């Protein structure tokens, strides 16, 4: 249980960093890549998949 | 126009568009995954006297993701108790569809039959990543179109996480690959303070011990390139019964191999339920094209019809452990084998234990499900005719 909470906190941190990257990156393809990376991270943070 | 793309606001717009697109995909995927958590249940047949939950035998499972329905079918006459385990592996549809068919058709004359259609119900709530499996398949039944789930071999990782590098079976100490920690057929006899998968296994062992279940069937499928297929595996205590039943299956035209459960392969029903309870533990396997490594793309036709032309070719070069021709292996043949197997082994059990008999009728036989079917009805239509 504690391990899962730590795991989800790490995911939340990575989501924040990827989100930061999405809005600071100038290149559209890099932005799109960051947005795609967010999909599995958010689904896992919400424990949906 | 060129000037617009150079404005500092442009990357913010493209980032926002990308985010909206990603959120759209997240919502669509999330809704699809969450829908899989709702596992369609059997419709209660003419002889379902009670629907209990496994937590009635082990309350540690109560209201959790491993608590699964147990259908109780009690006959009017005295007798023994029998347990049918479907859905040990969620990607083996003839296992749980045979259990569903039994629940919806059986009329018990003597004894009590416990049927668990989805033994590892958590495994029914997701699919194996990278397999391209179906989420659902449909059958036309007496009440119209019904949807059934196609699940995974193992417990959903959102319910049991993380997998160790090496899975050490309790109590034998046998070591297997880490992902087997979520395979309930490596978790028996289970333990109260173990993982979710071990707790479900413990609940089933408790049911067997509490209800004095004399004979237990665990219904499986295997890929056509797996050696133990169209086969029965029985604990050594059940070999006399299994031998008699197997001979009767062979006489009725069902080619069934019989193997004794290896004493050094732990965690499986046919080993541990035989060792840790007084039940006669029997496991059966049929041929499932949608599980194999040599298969083509997965489809409903493959899951229900067993249709896969790659297996026709594989057969021609001797890669398979089961005969394969243009008739393939439809769900009616696979469920028919399981249901006929249950019948013949139960008859053999009744001969050996006349004071604990379990007799029933109404369940479709191999002949009715498969041999008597029109060829165009194979692949789901014929099975659907028996479902409510």
């Amino acid at each position: 249980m504690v391990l899962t909470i730590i795991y989800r906190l790490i995911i939340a941190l990575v989501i924040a960093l990827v989100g930061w990257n999405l809005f600071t990156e100038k290149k559209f393809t890099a932005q799109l890549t960051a947005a795609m990376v967010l999909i599995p991270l958010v689904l896992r943070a919400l424990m949906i998949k | 126009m060129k000037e617009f793309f150079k404005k500092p606001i442009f990357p913010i717009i493209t980032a926002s568009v990308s985010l909206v697109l990603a959120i759209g995909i997240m919502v669509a995927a999330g809704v699809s995954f969450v829908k899989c958590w709702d596992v369609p249940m059997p419709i209660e047949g003419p002889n379902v006297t009670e629907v209990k939950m496994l937590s009635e035998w082990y309350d540690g499972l109560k209201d959790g993701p491993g608590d699964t329905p147990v259908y109780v079918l009690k006959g009017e006459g005295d007798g023994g108790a029998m347990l049918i385990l479907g859905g040990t592996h969620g990607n083996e549809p003839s296992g749980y569809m045979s259990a569903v068919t039994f629940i919806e058709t059986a009329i018990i004359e003597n004894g009590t039959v416990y049927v668990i259609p989805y033994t590892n119900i958590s495994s029914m709530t997701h699919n194996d990543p990278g397999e391209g499996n179906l989420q659902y398949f449909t059958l036309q039944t007496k009440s119209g179109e019904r949807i059934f789930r196609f699940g995974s071999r193992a417990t959903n990782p959102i319910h049991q996480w993380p997998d160790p590098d090496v899975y050490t079976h309790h109590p034998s100490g046998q070591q297997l690959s880490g992902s087997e920690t979520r395979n309930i057929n490596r978790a028996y006899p289970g333990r109260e303070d173990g993982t979710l998968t071990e707790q479900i296994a413990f609940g089933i062992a408790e049911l067997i011990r509490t209800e004095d279940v004399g004979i237990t069937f665990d219904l499986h499928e295997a890929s056509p390139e797996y050696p133990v297929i169209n086969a029965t595996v029985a604990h050594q205590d059940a070999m006399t019964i299994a031998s008699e039943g197997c001979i009767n299956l062979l006489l009725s035209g069902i080619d069934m191999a019989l193997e004794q459960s290896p004493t050094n392969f732990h965690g499986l029903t046919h080993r541990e339920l035989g060792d840790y309870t007084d039940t006669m533990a029997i496991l059966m396997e049929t041929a499932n094209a949608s599980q194999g490594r040599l298969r083509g793309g997965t489809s409903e036709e493959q899951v229900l019809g067993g249709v896969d032309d790659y297996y026709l070719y594989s057969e021609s070069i001797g890669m398979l452990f089961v005969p394969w021709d243009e008739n393939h292996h439809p769900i009616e043949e696979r469920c028919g084998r399981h249901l006929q197997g249950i019948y013949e082994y139960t008859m053999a059990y009744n001969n050996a234990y006349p004071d604990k008999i379990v007799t029933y009728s109404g369940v479709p036989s191999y002949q009715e499900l498969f041999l008597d079917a029109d060829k165009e009805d194979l692949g789901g239509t014929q099975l659907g005719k028996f479902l409510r």
Side-chain angles (χ1 to χ4, degrees):
Chain A
M1 190 65 189
V2 176
L3 198 61
T4 304
I5 292 167
I6 294 168
Y7 174 62
R8 291 175 80 176
L9 286 173
I10 293 169
I11 297 169
L13 176 66
V14 176
I15 288 171
L17 292 172
V18 174
W20 176 262
N21 183 251
L22 171 64
F23 282 95
T24 53
E25 184 63 58
K26 301 285 181 242
K27 211 173 152 191
F28 176 60
T29 50
Q31 289 175 333
L32 205 55
T33 304
M36 284 193 295
V37 169
L38 283 175
I39 297 168
L41 287 172
V42 171
L43 291 175
R44 180 41 67 102
L46 297 173
M47 297 303 262
I48 288 173
K49 182 67 178 173
Chain B
M1 193 72 180
K2 246 183 178 177
E3 288 306 304
F4 175 76
F5 291 115
K6 285 180 182 168
K7 281 187 178 175
I9 191 72
F10 183 72
I12 304 290
I13 293 170
T14 53
S16 302
V17 169
S18 302
L19 185 61
V20 168
L21 189 68
I23 289 171
I25 296 170
M26 267 175 224
V27 171
V31 167
S32 170
F33 292 139
V34 169
K35 271 188 182 170
C36 293
W37 299 352
D38 185 18
V39 180
M41 288 297 149
I43 296 172
E44 289 178 30
N47 204 167
V48 173
T49 41
E50 248 181 310
V51 183
K52 297 186 173 188
M53 297 301 285
L54 189 59
S55 55
E56 295 207 20
W57 289 275
Y58 169 51
D59 61 9
L61 293 168
K62 197 167 178 60
D63 300 327
D67 201 4
T68 189
V70 181
Y71 290 75
V72 185
L73 289 76
K74 195 168 173 51
E76 288 187 358
D78 290 339
M82 175 167 107
L83 172 64
I84 298 172
L85 300 172
T88 288
H89 296 142
N91 60 342
E92 298 173 10
S94 88
Y96 53 86
M97 289 311 300
S98 298
V100 168
T101 306
F102 195 97
I103 290 165
E104 298 193 6
T105 57
I107 296 167
I108 313 301
E109 287 133 17
N110 291 87
T112 305
V113 181
Y114 299 85
V115 189
I116 306 182
Y118 304 116
T119 299
N120 185 355
I121 198 164
S122 169
S123 79
M124 298 300 302
T125 64
H126 72 130
N127 288 89
D128 290 324
E131 289 289 332
N133 284 331
L134 304 177
Q135 286 185 323
Y136 303 95
F137 58 86
T138 56
L139 288 175
Q140 282 295 334
T141 68
K142 290 173 189 166
S143 60
E145 188 175 273
R146 284 172 61 188
I147 294 172
F148 295 91
R149 277 277 300 139
F150 187 97
S152 161
R153 181 176 174 79
T155 302
N156 193 331
I158 65 169
H159 299 146
Q160 182 181 318
W161 178 91
D163 289 350
D165 290 335
V166 176
Y167 163 53
T168 304
H169 171 256
H170 169 82
S172 72
Q174 167 189 265
Q175 292 193 323
L176 294 168
S177 70
S179 62
E180 294 285 25
T181 194
R182 289 183 288 113
N183 178 356
I184 194 168
N185 207 28
R186 300 294 180 274
Y188 291 98
R191 52 179 160 176
E192 285 174 278
D193 58 349
T195 63
L196 174 66
T197 311
E198 287 174 315
Q199 288 181 29
I200 302 169
F202 179 78
I204 287 160
E206 278 294 284
L207 185 161
I208 292 169
R209 287 187 281 259
T210 308
E211 305 301 332
D212 192 22
V213 173
I215 185 163
T216 299
F217 296 100
D218 185 14
L219 307 178
H220 285 256
E221 297 208 85
S223 55
E225 56 270 40
Y226 181 65
V228 183
I229 195 162
N230 281 355
T232 296
V233 187
H235 187 269
Q236 65 268 16
D237 295 346
M239 278 302 281
T240 307
I241 290 164
S243 304
E244 184 183 328
C246 196
I247 289 167
N248 288 330
L249 286 168
L250 291 166
L251 289 173
S252 61
I254 298 177
D255 187 18
M256 179 73 84
L258 175 61
E259 295 187 16
Q260 184 171 309
S261 172
T263 53
N264 58 350
F265 190 16
H266 291 282
L268 295 95
T269 49
H270 53 73
R271 168 55 33 215
E272 310 299 348
L273 292 180
D275 283 353
Y276 287 88
T277 75
D278 293 329
T279 200
M280 301 287 158
I282 291 175
L283 179 148
M284 284 184 277
E285 297 272 9
T286 59
N288 177 14
S290 61
Q291 256 182 290
R293 297 299 90 196
L294 303 175
R295 73 178 193 271
T298 47
S299 64
E300 195 160 293
E301 194 187 17
Q302 187 189 58
V303 170
L304 294 176
V307 177
D308 193 304
D309 289 339
Y310 288 94
Y311 279 118
L312 274 176
Y313 177 70
S314 305
E315 165 76 0
S316 71
I317 56 171
M319 298 288 287
L320 305 184
F321 286 90
V322 62
W324 208 281
D325 59 25
E326 57 284 345
N327 294 318
H328 304 275
H329 290 281
I331 191 87
E332 287 81 5
E333 181 208 330
R334 289 139 60 198
C335 287
R337 291 181 67 92
H338 280 326
L339 293 171
Q340 194 69 38
I342 291 170
Y343 180 80
E344 296 296 353
Y345 294 128
T346 304
M347 291 302 106
Y349 174 80
N350 291 344
N351 290 338
Y353 300 93
D355 55 327
K356 291 182 177 180
I357 59 167
V358 177
T359 58
Y360 62 87
S361 59
V363 178
S365 63
Y366 182 72
Q367 181 87 27
E368 290 169 305
L369 260 176
F370 179 55
L371 297 179
D372 289 349
D374 289 336
K375 202 175 172 187
E376 59 268 23
D377 285 349
L378 295 174
T381 306
Q382 181 74 359
L383 177 63
K385 287 177 184 174
F386 291 94
L387 298 176
R388 295 168 82 84

